[in-house]
Amino acid sequence: RGPERSRPFDEIIAEAESIAAAGFREVTLLGQNVNSYGHDLAPEPRFGHVRTERWAGRRLDLGSKPDLAELIRAIDRLRTADGVPAIPRLRFITSHPWDLSDRLIEAMAECPSLCESLHLPVQSGDDEVLRRMGRQYTTEHYLERLDKIRAAVPGITVSTDIIVGFCGETEAQFERTLGFLESVRYDQVFAAAYSERPGTPATNLADDVPAADKLRRLNVLLAMQEPIGLERNQAWLGREVEVLVETVARERTHDHAAPGEAGERSEPRGVQPGPGQVALSGRTRGNKLVHLAGGADWIGQLVTVRVEHAGPYALRGTPVG
């Protein structure tokens, strides 16, 4: 809400250098629309090679300004004395489809520190609903970008956001969203039933979808996505993955979401810690949640894990070596 503001390029690089020197393993470039980074900064001769414009929606000229691709490449170039990336894992979130430029896709394919995962909110699989949302792209535009990123970064995991019951959404439009999800086959979907948010343009539209219909649509969508998530996770069975161990896992299911929303669930059941071990959770480079048993001092470490179980929302495995 309000104008986007980009932090100075050199300030971000300096912070990344200090983070690397402190021993951190992962950095996330965060923005409400992180892909439009730099559009409000002043042009500089050193960025004269940057020649790109927004490919959909309102025009945005990034000529001679540092865009997100430039920022990613600069952080990726930070190296340790032995020549490896000073920050092993780099991510960015949240992306708007209209700023997923060819330059950004090329950077994702060419920078070894950038993780092979992308959160790309579509919000609806119906073009008329997207128009009312003010998204300024169509499902065709979205799919063209998604196909290009999947071709450039083989095996990339893709997640998205969906809003059901947006103002004026008909049953047929909701069904088109279901068909869209069935076709795209996301690794993970974060879904929410529409509710008014103060200060957004949607407050000028009638919130006319009954609450019961919103809840039903949300449950139908989640029920459809669950086997897709399971299928995507089962593809990792038997494979060895690099896991950044993040926390001691709790034996429960949880949502990172407000009431009426659906987020990601943890399922550490089945982890059997041995003597001196605890149940741990971490993330793959593809942002898959992995549960394992190991020492509490593994938190913050990169561990190779062989995947032995896959659920709809998480993987479980055994450390290798």
Side-chain angles (χ1 to χ4, degrees):
R1 300 181 180 90
E4 296 172 336
R5 292 175 294 174
S6 302
R7 290 178 59 195
F9 183 87
D10 293 332
E11 178 184 302
I12 297 175
I13 301 304
E15 184 176 352
E17 290 174 331
S18 67
I19 287 171
F24 286 89
R25 307 297 182 96
E26 183 171 302
V27 165
T28 299
L29 302 174
L30 177 68
Q32 182 66 22
N33 173 18
V34 70
N35 290 9
S36 67
Y37 170 77
H39 77 92
D40 55 331
L41 298 178
E44 296 184 50
R46 59 173 168 160
F47 302 121
H49 58 283
V50 178
R51 289 283 178 262
T52 188
E53 293 184 359
R54 177 174 281 164
W55 65 277
R58 292 187 295 271
R59 185 177 180 275
L60 188 68
D61 184 2
L62 287 168
S64 298
K65 301 177 182 180
D67 60 359
L68 182 62
E70 194 75 9
L71 189 61
I72 286 170
R73 290 185 184 277
I75 296 175
D76 181 71
R77 283 194 295 268
L78 301 177
R79 290 291 190 268
T80 63
D82 53 1
V84 301
I87 297 172
R89 293 184 173 197
L90 182 61
R91 304 185 190 275
F92 61 92
I93 194 171
T94 289
S95 297
H96 196 297
W98 67 11
D99 289 312
L100 191 63
S101 67
D102 288 349
R103 274 179 50 83
L104 179 54
I105 292 173
E106 290 167 4
M108 294 179 70
E110 296 170 3
C111 295
S113 65
L114 198 68
C115 291
E116 299 81 12
S117 65
L118 176 67
H119 185 68
L120 191 64
V122 67
Q123 303 297 6
S124 174
D126 180 83
D127 287 340
E128 175 57 26
V129 174
L130 289 176
R131 187 193 65 79
R132 288 201 302 274
M133 288 179 169
R135 296 292 286 177
Q136 301 197 49
Y137 56 81
T138 64
T139 52
E140 181 182 4
H141 290 152
Y142 181 97
L143 290 173
E144 185 275 333
R145 292 287 88 185
L146 187 57
D147 287 345
K148 189 154 191 172
I149 189 65
R150 281 176 161 170
V153 187
I156 190 171
T157 62
V158 183
S159 57
T160 199
D161 293 337
I162 295 287
I163 295 175
V164 301
F166 186 76
C167 308
E169 183 188 63
T170 66
E171 199 66 29
Q173 290 169 336
F174 170 66
E175 291 290 338
R176 278 191 279 276
T177 293
L178 293 180
F180 187 87
L181 296 188
E182 181 70 32
S183 173
V184 171
R185 308 195 77 74
Y186 290 103
D187 290 86
Q188 193 166 24
V189 172
F190 295 85
Y194 172 75
S195 61
E196 288 189 356
R197 303 291 171 92
T200 61
T203 57
N204 297 318
L205 302 175
D207 183 8
D208 54 0
V209 179
D213 286 344
K214 291 179 182 179
L215 182 59
R216 173 181 54 80
R217 292 176 188 178
L218 180 62
N219 288 332
V220 168
L221 185 146
L222 294 174
M224 191 197 77
Q225 172 59 30
E226 187 165 292
I228 295 175
L230 176 61
E231 173 194 283
R232 302 288 291 179
N233 282 347
Q234 285 175 333
W236 292 90
L237 287 171
R239 297 169 64 177
E240 293 184 1
V241 296
E242 178 193 84
V243 175
L244 176 57
V245 181
E246 295 180 351
T247 187
V248 174
R250 295 183 179 182
E251 191 74 25
R252 65 186 180 91
T253 296
H254 66 273
D255 279 336
H256 298 303
E261 298 180 346
E264 121 194 338
R265 280 173 270 186
S266 168
E267 27 187 43
R269 297 176 183 83
V271 174
Q272 301 294 329
Q277 294 184 328
V278 294
L280 300 168
S281 293
R283 298 272 172 178
T284 68
R285 288 180 58 88
N287 209 32
K288 295 284 186 181
L289 182 63
V290 180
H291 300 297
L292 65 151
D297 58 347
W298 288 11
I299 293 176
Q301 303 300 313
L302 295 169
V303 177
T304 300
V305 175
R306 181 179 294 109
V307 179
E308 297 171 342
H309 172 80
Y313 308 102
L315 307 173
R316 188 174 73 237
T318 300
V320 176

